[in-house]
Amino acid sequence: KIVDDPKAHDTFHSVVQDDPMLRDAYAANPAVMEDTFKAMRKFGPSMATSPAVVRSFLRQSTMAGGNMDFATIRLLAETEKFVQNGRGRGTT
């Protein structure tokens, strides 16, 4: 976790700075976007370092007003489980 946090932090900030929509949303309400990303890191930590995934996730949540529904959270958790199983680190 300690190793991935700086990468996730850097990914978050570079994605927000490079995407005009996300940059504007972050400028308007940084706490909402940071909370959304914290949830992504909690339920899908291996995906939080992929710029394409982070961009897509943040854009989707921004378009939903910064809200995540339970289906989105569940999808993150299931995808994380799939990734970890693929790496031989997960449980069935």
Side-chain angles (χ1 to χ4, degrees):
K1 182 177 180 179
I2 293 171
V3 173
D4 286 341
D5 281 352
K7 281 179 78 174
H9 176 79
D10 291 345
T11 301
F12 172 77
H13 287 287
S14 68
V15 164
V16 168
Q17 291 304 312
D18 292 344
D19 187 297
M21 178 186 146
L22 297 177
R23 186 174 50 237
D24 292 347
Y26 186 76
N29 197 344
V32 170
M33 191 166 293
E34 289 170 0
D35 286 346
T36 300
F37 187 67
K38 284 178 189 176
M40 180 182 200
R41 284 183 38 212
K42 180 175 182 173
F43 295 105
S46 66
M47 295 172 281
T49 58
S50 170
V53 175
V54 171
R55 182 178 298 105
S56 176
F57 183 76
L58 290 177
R59 281 180 145 264
Q60 185 266 340
S61 66
T62 298
M63 289 186 281
N67 299 316
M68 287 188 302
D69 59 21
F70 288 112
T72 302
I73 294 168
R74 181 178 178 185
L75 183 59
L76 271 176
E78 287 175 350
T79 303
E80 180 66 21
K81 183 178 176 181
F82 176 76
V83 168
Q84 293 303 324
N85 284 340
R87 292 178 178 167
R89 297 186 211 154
T91 59
T92 55

